[in-house]
């Protein structure tokens, strides 16, 4: 952690005011896929991470598309032209107003490079690039004419707004407010029980599936199987002591007891499978209903992996 480089990256990407608005500052958790951030905040956070990484080459794919004009100007001047002035930066952008400060311009049309050169060279060539720049200037001039005398007031208002923290609907960039209950982060630690959890999970397994009848039949079948297993051993011990008992009688009774115990084993497995399927269906249906009826904040604060694990 390089604190000096960290602070410079944050200021260069215009994140200092956003971080001051967050309850937990730069320790605020960002939801999966930046779900609790606006598009502009996500772009600037990604840009700040890249600046802090201190790479040699930067490929920036239109990093100003989701921010307003004022923020885009700050990002270009403070980040691209200052923080990355000694780096190789390839910038893809539609913001024509920044092109006069770059070293080399590649104009692309239909996926092909149609022009290449400096800003002055492309203007003197008198091609589509000049038309693009002129169209941009005309639009800026027309916008200034429409604003009229209110231009100074608009600039003053914009300067005041840039120094404040506003809720989502009042920020031109569409910034998302990440303020929540004080002292509480977005994603909470998952509750985990360690050690003996008692009989509650087993009782929930039966009660939620309403499987008390199946449980009773399972217990009855298991009890009968145990009784018949003891009875088969007792029959062998008892029949050996009878002098005139035949082998067919001995084996026949033993086989009958074993067959009957096998029947109860089948019923035990049968009812056990039905109880398991019924419980699984009850848990799955309850989970699906809870997921589909959950408020949006649940998905903002719960990682997708945790839901899929459940």
């Amino acid at each position: 952690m390089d604190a000096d480089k960290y602070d410079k990256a944050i200021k260069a990407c215009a994140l200092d005011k956003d971080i001051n608005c967050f309850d937990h500052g730069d320790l605020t958790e960002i939801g999966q896929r930046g779900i609790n951030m606006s598009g502009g905040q996500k772009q600037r956070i990604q840009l700040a991470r890249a600046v802090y990484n201190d790479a040699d080459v930067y490929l920036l794919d239109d990093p100003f598309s989701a921010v307003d004009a004022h923020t885009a100007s700050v990002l270009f001047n403070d980040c691209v032209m200052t923080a990355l002035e000694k780096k190789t930066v390839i910038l893809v952008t539609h913001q024509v107003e920044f092109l006069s400060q770059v070293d080399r311009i590649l104009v692309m049309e239909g996926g092909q490079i149609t022009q290449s050169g400096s800003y002055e060279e492309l203007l003197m060539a008198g091609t589509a690039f000049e038309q693009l720049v002129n169209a941009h200037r005309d639009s800026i001039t027309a916008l200034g004419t429409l604003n009229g005398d209110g231009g100074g007031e608009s600039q003053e208002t914009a300067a005041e707004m840039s120094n404040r923290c506003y809720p989502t609907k009042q920020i031109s960039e569409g910034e998302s407010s990440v303020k929540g209950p004080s002292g509480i982060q977005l994603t909470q630690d998952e509750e985990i029980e360690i050690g003996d959890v008692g009989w509650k999970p087993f009782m929930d397994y039966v009660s939620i599936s309403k499987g008390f009848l199946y449980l009773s039949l399972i217990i009855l079948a298991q009890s009968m199987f145990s009784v018949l297993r003891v009875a088969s051993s007792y029959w062998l011990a008892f029949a050996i002591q009878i002098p005139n008992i035949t082998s067919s009688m001995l084996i026949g009774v033993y086989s009958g007891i074993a067959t009957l115990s096998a029947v109860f084993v089948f019923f035990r497995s049968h009812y056990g499978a039905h109880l398991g399927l019924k419980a699984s269906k009850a848990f799955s249906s309850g989970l699906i209903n809870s997921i589909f009826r959950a408020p949006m904040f649940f998905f903002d604060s719960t990682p997708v992996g945790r839901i899929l694990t459940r």
Side-chain angles (χ1 to χ4, degrees), residues 39 42 87 105 130 150 180 195 209-210 214 222 241 265 287 289:
K42 285 190 285 187
K87 310 293 183 179
I105 302 173
E130 183 183 8
S209 63
K210 299 179 181 179
Y214 285 123
Q222 176 64 25
Q241 298 177 3
V265 169
L287 175 63
N289 289 335

Side-chain angles (χ1 to χ4, degrees), residues 12-23:
C13 298
L15 280 172
D16 46 352
K17 295 175 184 177
D18 296 84
I19 290 177
N20 292 334
C21 291
F22 299 160
D23 281 343

Side-chain angles (χ1 to χ4, degrees), residues 17 68 70 147 149-166 170-172:
K17 295 175 184 177
D68 54 37
H70 173 73
N147 288 336
D149 296 335
E153 181 181 353
S154 300
Q155 291 179 359
E156 181 181 357
T157 304
E160 292 176 355
M161 289 180 62
S162 65
N163 293 320
R164 300 176 186 173
C165 298
Y166 286 97
Q170 292 180 313
I171 299 180
S172 60

Side-chain angles (χ1 to χ4, degrees), residues 1 3 12-14 49 69 77 89 111 129 142 180 184 189 194 204 207 216 219 226:
M1 172 63 182
C13 298
R49 288 171 174 167
N77 293 319
V89 180
F129 179 78
I184 299 179
D189 292 335
I194 301 175
D204 289 342
S207 61
S216 301
I219 294 174
S226 301

Side-chain angles (χ1 to χ4, degrees), residues 104-176:
R104 188 174 184 83
I105 302 173
L106 300 178
V107 182
M108 299 194 67
E109 185 176 354
Q112 302 292 329
I113 298 177
T114 57
Q115 293 177 270
S116 175
S118 65
Y119 184 77
E120 291 77 12
E121 292 173 352
L122 293 181
L123 282 181
M124 294 177 61
T127 54
F129 179 78
E130 183 183 8
Q131 298 176 4
L132 180 65
V133 174
N134 292 334
H136 175 71
R137 289 175 179 174
D138 293 342
S139 63
I140 295 297
T141 303
L143 183 62
T145 304
L146 289 176
N147 288 336
D149 296 335
E153 181 181 353
S154 300
Q155 291 179 359
E156 181 181 357
T157 304
E160 292 176 355
M161 289 180 62
S162 65
N163 293 320
R164 300 176 186 173
C165 298
Y166 286 97
T168 306
K169 294 182 180 179
Q170 292 180 313
I171 299 180
S172 60
E173 183 184 330
E175 303 286 5
S176 295

Side-chain angles (χ1 to χ4, degrees), residues 56-257:
D56 295 326
V57 179
Y58 285 83
L59 308 178
L60 306 181
D61 186 5
D62 206 6
F64 315 131
S65 60
V67 299
D68 54 37
H70 173 73
T71 306
S73 177
V74 172
L75 288 177
F76 182 80
N77 293 319
D78 294 351
C79 180
V80 177
M81 300 302 296
T82 303
L84 303 179
E85 62 177 346
K86 296 182 180 180
K87 310 293 183 179
T88 300
V89 180
I90 298 178
L91 172 65
V92 179
T93 183
H94 291 92
Q95 276 84 354
V96 182
E97 62 270 21
F98 301 141
L99 299 182
S100 60
Q101 303 181 52
V102 303
D103 299 323
R104 188 174 184 83
I105 302 173
L106 300 178
V107 182
M108 299 194 67
E109 185 176 354
Q112 302 292 329
I113 298 177
T114 57
Q115 293 177 270
S116 175
S118 65
Y119 184 77
E120 291 77 12
E121 292 173 352
L122 293 181
L123 282 181
M124 294 177 61
T127 54
F129 179 78
E130 183 183 8
Q131 298 176 4
L132 180 65
V133 174
N134 292 334
H136 175 71
R137 289 175 179 174
D138 293 342
S139 63
I140 295 297
T141 303
L143 183 62
T145 304
L146 289 176
N147 288 336
D149 296 335
E153 181 181 353
S154 300
Q155 291 179 359
E156 181 181 357
T157 304
E160 292 176 355
M161 289 180 62
S162 65
N163 293 320
R164 300 176 186 173
C165 298
Y166 286 97
T168 306
K169 294 182 180 179
Q170 292 180 313
I171 299 180
S172 60
E173 183 184 330
E175 303 286 5
S176 295
S177 175
V178 294
K179 282 187 174 291
S182 180
I184 299 179
Q185 285 280 27
L186 178 69
T187 303
Q188 301 299 310
D189 292 335
E190 191 172 14
E191 296 180 1
I192 300 176
E193 294 190 26
I194 301 175
D196 185 12
V197 295
W199 286 93
K200 187 178 183 302
F202 303 99
M203 295 306 298
D204 289 342
Y205 191 82
V206 177
S207 61
I208 293 178
S209 63
K210 299 179 181 179
F212 288 102
L213 176 61
Y214 285 123
L215 180 62
S216 301
L217 293 174
I218 291 172
I219 294 174
L220 178 62
Q222 176 64 25
S223 301
M224 291 302 300
F225 168 71
S226 301
V227 169
L228 291 172
R229 187 174 59 178
V230 173
S232 62
S233 300
Y234 178 79
W235 165 251
L236 290 177
F238 176 76
I240 291 175
Q241 298 177 3
I242 302 176
N244 55 353
I245 190 171
T246 62
S247 299
S248 58
M249 180 67 175
L250 176 65
I251 297 175
V253 174
Y254 182 82
S255 299
I257 297 175

